[in-house]
Amino acid sequence: SGLERAKSSTWQVLGQQVLISPLISPNLEPLLDPDKPAGIPRQVLDHNIELSRKNLPLLLDTWDGYDAARQRLLGDLQDLAGNPVILSGDLHTALAGNIVPRGGTAPVAIEFMTTSVTSPGISKYLPEIRHNAISDASLKLNPDLVYMETYRHGWLHMQFTHEECVGEWHLLDGIRTETYSIEVDRRLSVRAGEIAAGLRDA
């Protein structure tokens, strides 16, 4: 009913907490340094590494754990929304993706995820061999993801006009000092009426 009411608006923006885009985990073993400290107990880390060898979804407490419900939602967006944009968070990771329904070929929605300002993210919990080792591997394995940055913190700035929707990730060079610099790490957009064409650099 909310989508029906929003039909007259250029954009239909769904703000919700967790990642909707599918996220299959790469094999974590070659991406992690076991000698570095991890933000999770060693037993949990070893369990996650074992599961990742099968390229299962990375997190089942997101929409990846509720695929039937996700498919119903995407069906509603496809049928009722002209320009659906999903805003999410929770992973403390900067991320963007084109959301393609299972069995589909074109996006029916676009997702923008904000990172955290200071709270630890993937790179703090999993001891990467280098910054963004996991995100680089994840982008290769998940072709509908367009952007993923697991190391730096900051925020997402969104701008909506009648012509396009633009997301900018403003990231900090550090969070432990009073002096720091900020840069726009990535700027992605989608034009109104062109959701099926997906995200592009702005």
Side-chain angles (χ1 to χ4, degrees):
S1 61
L3 289 172
E4 287 281 5
R5 291 194 300 271
K7 271 186 174 180
S8 60
S9 302
T10 302
W11 301 97
Q12 296 77 45
V13 181
L14 175 59
Q16 50 86 66
Q17 185 180 10
V18 298
L19 182 69
I20 286 185
S21 295
L23 181 57
I24 301 300
S25 176
N27 181 3
L28 294 175
E29 187 169 27
L31 306 175
L32 303 182
D33 183 348
D35 295 327
K36 286 184 177 180
I40 56 178
R42 183 69 203 204
Q43 183 179 1
V44 176
L45 179 62
D46 290 341
H47 179 68
N48 287 342
I49 291 173
E50 182 61 32
L51 290 177
S52 74
R53 293 192 181 104
K54 302 172 184 177
N55 295 132
L56 297 172
L58 186 64
L59 297 164
L60 292 178
D61 60 348
T62 69
W63 285 77
D64 266 338
Y66 305 88
D67 186 60
R70 177 169 56 194
Q71 289 300 115
R72 291 195 300 271
L73 172 63
L74 297 183
D76 287 343
L77 293 177
Q78 188 170 23
D79 294 341
L80 300 172
N83 295 292
V85 173
I86 296 168
L87 304 181
S88 56
D90 190 55
L91 281 186
H92 306 167
T93 294
L95 183 147
N98 301 312
I99 305 181
V100 180
R102 182 171 14 90
T105 58
V108 300
I110 302 300
E111 182 166 17
F112 293 88
M113 173 177 276
T114 185
T115 184
S116 58
V117 176
T118 58
S119 298
I122 291 174
S123 65
K124 299 295 189 300
Y125 288 108
L126 303 176
E128 296 177 291
I129 56 172
R130 59 175 176 79
H131 296 163
N132 285 313
I134 293 173
S135 63
D136 291 345
S138 296
L139 288 168
K140 289 180 181 178
L141 190 60
N142 297 272
D144 294 323
L145 290 184
V146 178
Y147 169 65
M148 186 176 183
E149 157 66 66
T150 61
Y151 181 71
R152 287 184 293 166
H153 296 274
W155 63 90
L156 170 63
H157 176 269
M158 297 297 303
Q159 180 179 16
F160 292 89
T161 67
H162 288 297
E163 291 75 33
E164 68 176 348
C165 161
V166 180
E168 292 181 341
W169 286 266
H170 296 247
L171 302 184
L172 316 175
D173 64 349
I175 60 172
R176 296 186 178 277
T177 62
E178 293 184 6
T179 58
Y180 55 87
S181 62
I182 306 168
E183 70 169 357
V184 175
D185 188 57
R186 193 76 182 269
R187 193 169 189 264
L188 292 170
S189 71
V190 62
R191 294 193 61 80
E194 299 181 8
I195 293 293
L199 289 162
R200 59 185 177 86
D201 284 300

